[in-house]
Amino acid sequence: MDAQVLVVEDEMLVRWSLVDALNAAEGLIVFQASNGSSALDMMAKHPDIGFVVSDIHMPGKPDGLGLCQEIRSRYPLAAILLASGRGRPATLPPEVAYVDKPYDPDAIVDCVLHGSFSDPHCQDRLQHLP
């Protein structure tokens, strides 16, 4: 079965850049949402989504951290990667990965294809721009 990925980002160009990179990879089904509320609707429609990449700072409710908590409680097996251009939050929920913006979309694709946002290989790729 193909891996399913949800990209949640309010900045259209950033979202499209990552969605395009994910769509270029074989074996991925990619969904997108522009805010936390739409993301929760998408997760309800596609509960087999296994990977979520979300901006932290988005308009509306929930923001990225709130979305992360909702996904964790409803879909505990989904791997989550949070991103921000404003710096890493003081605390992150357990087993949630983080990347600073700007990030390399290909690094995120690599992590999804390897099946994890939290393994050392992925963390190394996420923290180093090409």
Side-chain angles (χ1 to χ4, degrees):
M1 179 180 208
D2 293 336
Q4 297 183 32
V5 185
L6 173 60
V7 177
V8 188
E9 171 63 61
D10 62 311
E11 294 181 45
M12 184 174 53
L13 294 177
V14 174
R15 184 175 69 244
W16 286 355
S17 173
L18 180 53
V19 167
D20 284 350
L22 290 162
N23 278 328
E26 289 187 36
L28 300 180
I29 299 170
V30 184
F31 302 97
Q32 57 183 303
S34 61
N35 58 55
S37 177
S38 296
L40 289 174
D41 290 344
M42 189 68 65
M43 291 293 293
K45 291 177 187 170
H46 304 280
D48 291 332
I49 290 173
F51 297 90
V52 178
V53 180
S54 178
D55 186 16
I56 291 176
H57 304 284
M58 297 180 289
K61 296 288 181 185
D63 64 2
L65 289 172
L67 174 63
C68 178
Q69 293 169 345
E70 288 291 324
I71 291 172
R72 268 283 154 256
S73 69
R74 298 179 196 183
Y75 311 96
L77 298 180
I80 301 172
L81 175 64
L82 293 177
S84 177
R86 300 181 192 174
R88 184 184 186 98
T91 59
L92 285 174
E95 299 181 24
V96 172
Y98 173 81
V99 64
D100 285 314
K101 287 181 181 179
Y103 51 72
D104 177 7
D106 292 330
I108 294 175
V109 172
D110 187 43
C111 292
V112 170
L113 293 174
H114 280 89
S116 174
F117 289 132
S118 58
D119 75 25
H121 167 79
C122 176
Q123 285 298 303
D124 186 56
R125 283 286 322 264
L126 289 174
Q127 301 311 319
H128 296 95
L129 288 173

PDB file of all heavy atoms in Angstrom, residues 36-55:
ATOM      1  N   GLY A  36      -5.466  24.093  10.278  1.00  0.00           N
ATOM      2  CA  GLY A  36      -5.662  22.959  11.172  1.00  0.00           C
ATOM      3  C   GLY A  36      -7.038  22.324  11.070  1.00  0.00           C
ATOM      4  O   GLY A  36      -7.174  21.098  11.102  1.00  0.00           O
ATOM      5  N   SER A  37      -8.056  23.134  10.925  1.00  0.00           N
ATOM      6  CA  SER A  37      -9.413  22.619  10.824  1.00  0.00           C
ATOM      7  C   SER A  37      -9.591  21.753   9.572  1.00  0.00           C
ATOM      8  O   SER A  37     -10.143  20.647   9.635  1.00  0.00           O
ATOM      9  CB  SER A  37     -10.405  23.783  10.817  1.00  0.00           C
ATOM     10  OG  SER A  37     -11.716  23.315  10.661  1.00  0.00           O
ATOM     11  N   SER A  38      -9.103  22.239   8.455  1.00  0.00           N
ATOM     12  CA  SER A  38      -9.165  21.464   7.212  1.00  0.00           C
ATOM     13  C   SER A  38      -8.335  20.188   7.316  1.00  0.00           C
ATOM     14  O   SER A  38      -8.705  19.146   6.762  1.00  0.00           O
ATOM     15  CB  SER A  38      -8.664  22.292   6.032  1.00  0.00           C
ATOM     16  OG  SER A  38      -9.497  23.395   5.798  1.00  0.00           O
ATOM     17  N   ALA A  39      -7.222  20.262   8.026  1.00  0.00           N
ATOM     18  CA  ALA A  39      -6.381  19.082   8.210  1.00  0.00           C
ATOM     19  C   ALA A  39      -7.120  18.000   9.000  1.00  0.00           C
ATOM     20  O   ALA A  39      -7.052  16.819   8.654  1.00  0.00           O
ATOM     21  CB  ALA A  39      -5.086  19.463   8.915  1.00  0.00           C
ATOM     22  N   LEU A  40      -7.835  18.398  10.049  1.00  0.00           N
ATOM     23  CA  LEU A  40      -8.591  17.415  10.830  1.00  0.00           C
ATOM     24  C   LEU A  40      -9.700  16.798   9.985  1.00  0.00           C
ATOM     25  O   LEU A  40      -9.959  15.582  10.080  1.00  0.00           O
ATOM     26  CB  LEU A  40      -9.153  18.053  12.095  1.00  0.00           C
ATOM     27  CG  LEU A  40      -8.116  18.404  13.158  1.00  0.00           C
ATOM     28  CD1 LEU A  40      -8.773  19.172  14.298  1.00  0.00           C
ATOM     29  CD2 LEU A  40      -7.419  17.148  13.667  1.00  0.00           C
ATOM     30  N   ASP A  41     -10.343  17.598   9.143  1.00  0.00           N
ATOM     31  CA  ASP A  41     -11.353  17.062   8.223  1.00  0.00           C
ATOM     32  C   ASP A  41     -10.720  16.047   7.272  1.00  0.00           C
ATOM     33  O   ASP A  41     -11.288  14.985   7.010  1.00  0.00           O
ATOM     34  CB  ASP A  41     -12.008  18.183   7.411  1.00  0.00           C
ATOM     35  CG  ASP A  41     -12.914  19.080   8.245  1.00  0.00           C
ATOM     36  OD1 ASP A  41     -13.291  18.693   9.376  1.00  0.00           O
ATOM     37  OD2 ASP A  41     -13.234  20.186   7.758  1.00  0.00           O
ATOM     38  N   MET A  42      -9.545  16.375   6.749  1.00  0.00           N
ATOM     39  CA  MET A  42      -8.848  15.476   5.822  1.00  0.00           C
ATOM     40  C   MET A  42      -8.451  14.176   6.523  1.00  0.00           C
ATOM     41  O   MET A  42      -8.598  13.091   5.957  1.00  0.00           O
ATOM     42  CB  MET A  42      -7.617  16.181   5.253  1.00  0.00           C
ATOM     43  CG  MET A  42      -6.939  15.438   4.128  1.00  0.00           C
ATOM     44  SD  MET A  42      -7.915  15.343   2.614  1.00  0.00           S
ATOM     45  CE  MET A  42      -7.984  17.061   2.150  1.00  0.00           C
ATOM     46  N   MET A  43      -7.984  14.277   7.760  1.00  0.00           N
ATOM     47  CA  MET A  43      -7.622  13.073   8.519  1.00  0.00           C
ATOM     48  C   MET A  43      -8.854  12.197   8.755  1.00  0.00           C
ATOM     49  O   MET A  43      -8.765  10.972   8.693  1.00  0.00           O
ATOM     50  CB  MET A  43      -6.968  13.444   9.852  1.00  0.00           C
ATOM     51  CG  MET A  43      -5.594  14.062   9.757  1.00  0.00           C
ATOM     52  SD  MET A  43      -4.294  12.973   9.142  1.00  0.00           S
ATOM     53  CE  MET A  43      -4.167  11.766  10.454  1.00  0.00           C
ATOM     54  N   ALA A  44      -9.997  12.805   9.023  1.00  0.00           N
ATOM     55  CA  ALA A  44     -11.229  12.039   9.246  1.00  0.00           C
ATOM     56  C   ALA A  44     -11.642  11.305   7.971  1.00  0.00           C
ATOM     57  O   ALA A  44     -12.124  10.165   8.031  1.00  0.00           O
ATOM     58  CB  ALA A  44     -12.348  12.956   9.727  1.00  0.00           C
ATOM     59  N   LYS A  45     -11.445  11.931   6.818  1.00  0.00           N
ATOM     60  CA  LYS A  45     -11.799  11.307   5.539  1.00  0.00           C
ATOM     61  C   LYS A  45     -10.796  10.239   5.116  1.00  0.00           C
ATOM     62  O   LYS A  45     -11.144   9.310   4.385  1.00  0.00           O
ATOM     63  CB  LYS A  45     -11.878  12.370   4.438  1.00  0.00           C
ATOM     64  CG  LYS A  45     -13.038  13.320   4.583  1.00  0.00           C
ATOM     65  CD  LYS A  45     -12.996  14.385   3.509  1.00  0.00           C
ATOM     66  CE  LYS A  45     -14.059  15.439   3.766  1.00  0.00           C
ATOM     67  NZ  LYS A  45     -13.905  16.611   2.895  1.00  0.00           N
ATOM     68  N   HIS A  46      -9.550  10.402   5.553  1.00  0.00           N
ATOM     69  CA  HIS A  46      -8.466   9.492   5.159  1.00  0.00           C
ATOM     70  C   HIS A  46      -7.687   9.059   6.406  1.00  0.00           C
ATOM     71  O   HIS A  46      -6.545   9.484   6.606  1.00  0.00           O
ATOM     72  CB  HIS A  46      -7.532  10.181   4.160  1.00  0.00           C
ATOM     73  CG  HIS A  46      -8.236  10.706   2.953  1.00  0.00           C
ATOM     74  ND1 HIS A  46      -8.590   9.903   1.897  1.00  0.00           N
ATOM     75  CD2 HIS A  46      -8.682  11.953   2.657  1.00  0.00           C
ATOM     76  CE1 HIS A  46      -9.211  10.636   0.986  1.00  0.00           C
ATOM     77  NE2 HIS A  46      -9.287  11.882   1.423  1.00  0.00           N
ATOM     78  N   PRO A  47      -8.291   8.226   7.253  1.00  0.00           N
ATOM     79  CA  PRO A  47      -7.652   7.869   8.527  1.00  0.00           C
ATOM     80  C   PRO A  47      -6.369   7.051   8.385  1.00  0.00           C
ATOM     81  O   PRO A  47      -5.655   6.870   9.372  1.00  0.00           O
ATOM     82  CB  PRO A  47      -8.737   7.083   9.260  1.00  0.00           C
ATOM     83  CG  PRO A  47      -9.642   6.580   8.195  1.00  0.00           C
ATOM     84  CD  PRO A  47      -9.605   7.604   7.095  1.00  0.00           C
ATOM     85  N   ASP A  48      -6.051   6.589   7.170  1.00  0.00           N
ATOM     86  CA  ASP A  48      -4.809   5.844   6.967  1.00  0.00           C
ATOM     87  C   ASP A  48      -3.615   6.747   6.657  1.00  0.00           C
ATOM     88  O   ASP A  48      -2.529   6.240   6.360  1.00  0.00           O
ATOM     89  CB  ASP A  48      -4.988   4.821   5.848  1.00  0.00           C
ATOM     90  CG  ASP A  48      -5.928   3.695   6.245  1.00  0.00           C
ATOM     91  OD1 ASP A  48      -6.019   3.396   7.452  1.00  0.00           O
ATOM     92  OD2 ASP A  48      -6.576   3.125   5.354  1.00  0.00           O
ATOM     93  N   ILE A  49      -3.809   8.060   6.718  1.00  0.00           N
ATOM     94  CA  ILE A  49      -2.670   8.966   6.533  1.00  0.00           C
ATOM     95  C   ILE A  49      -1.646   8.635   7.609  1.00  0.00           C
ATOM     96  O   ILE A  49      -1.944   8.636   8.803  1.00  0.00           O
ATOM     97  CB  ILE A  49      -3.106  10.446   6.611  1.00  0.00           C
ATOM     98  CG1 ILE A  49      -3.937  10.808   5.378  1.00  0.00           C
ATOM     99  CG2 ILE A  49      -1.890  11.372   6.750  1.00  0.00           C
ATOM    100  CD1 ILE A  49      -4.572  12.190   5.422  1.00  0.00           C
ATOM    101  N   GLY A  50      -0.437   8.331   7.153  1.00  0.00           N
ATOM    102  CA  GLY A  50       0.608   7.908   8.087  1.00  0.00           C
ATOM    103  C   GLY A  50       1.638   8.958   8.416  1.00  0.00           C
ATOM    104  O   GLY A  50       2.399   8.811   9.368  1.00  0.00           O
ATOM    105  N   PHE A  51       1.667  10.034   7.621  1.00  0.00           N
ATOM    106  CA  PHE A  51       2.650  11.091   7.819  1.00  0.00           C
ATOM    107  C   PHE A  51       1.970  12.439   7.713  1.00  0.00           C
ATOM    108  O   PHE A  51       1.208  12.672   6.772  1.00  0.00           O
ATOM    109  CB  PHE A  51       3.766  11.015   6.757  1.00  0.00           C
ATOM    110  CG  PHE A  51       4.562   9.750   6.818  1.00  0.00           C
ATOM    111  CD1 PHE A  51       4.178   8.639   6.085  1.00  0.00           C
ATOM    112  CD2 PHE A  51       5.691   9.674   7.605  1.00  0.00           C
ATOM    113  CE1 PHE A  51       4.897   7.468   6.142  1.00  0.00           C
ATOM    114  CE2 PHE A  51       6.424   8.504   7.669  1.00  0.00           C
ATOM    115  CZ  PHE A  51       6.025   7.392   6.940  1.00  0.00           C
ATOM    116  N   VAL A  52       2.259  13.321   8.661  1.00  0.00           N
ATOM    117  CA  VAL A  52       1.719  14.676   8.650  1.00  0.00           C
ATOM    118  C   VAL A  52       2.883  15.647   8.790  1.00  0.00           C
ATOM    119  O   VAL A  52       3.693  15.524   9.718  1.00  0.00           O
ATOM    120  CB  VAL A  52       0.705  14.898   9.797  1.00  0.00           C
ATOM    121  CG1 VAL A  52       0.193  16.339   9.786  1.00  0.00           C
ATOM    122  CG2 VAL A  52      -0.451  13.905   9.703  1.00  0.00           C
ATOM    123  N   VAL A  53       2.968  16.590   7.862  1.00  0.00           N
ATOM    124  CA  VAL A  53       3.945  17.678   7.932  1.00  0.00           C
ATOM    125  C   VAL A  53       3.136  18.947   8.100  1.00  0.00           C
ATOM    126  O   VAL A  53       2.317  19.280   7.248  1.00  0.00           O
ATOM    127  CB  VAL A  53       4.805  17.759   6.654  1.00  0.00           C
ATOM    128  CG1 VAL A  53       5.812  18.900   6.777  1.00  0.00           C
ATOM    129  CG2 VAL A  53       5.502  16.442   6.376  1.00  0.00           C
ATOM    130  N   SER A  54       3.346  19.650   9.214  1.00  0.00           N
ATOM    131  CA  SER A  54       2.525  20.829   9.497  1.00  0.00           C
ATOM    132  C   SER A  54       3.353  22.016   9.949  1.00  0.00           C
ATOM    133  O   SER A  54       4.283  21.872  10.744  1.00  0.00           O
ATOM    134  CB  SER A  54       1.499  20.502  10.589  1.00  0.00           C
ATOM    135  OG  SER A  54       0.721  21.646  10.900  1.00  0.00           O
ATOM    136  N   ASP A  55       2.952  23.167   9.459  1.00  0.00           N
ATOM    137  CA  ASP A  55       3.461  24.429   9.976  1.00  0.00           C
ATOM    138  C   ASP A  55       2.943  24.572  11.411  1.00  0.00           C
ATOM    139  O   ASP A  55       1.870  24.058  11.745  1.00  0.00           O
ATOM    140  CB  ASP A  55       2.937  25.569   9.103  1.00  0.00           C
ATOM    141  CG  ASP A  55       3.510  26.923   9.464  1.00  0.00           C
ATOM    142  OD1 ASP A  55       4.530  26.985  10.175  1.00  0.00           O
ATOM    143  OD2 ASP A  55       2.932  27.926   9.030  1.00  0.00           O
TER     144      ASP A  55
END
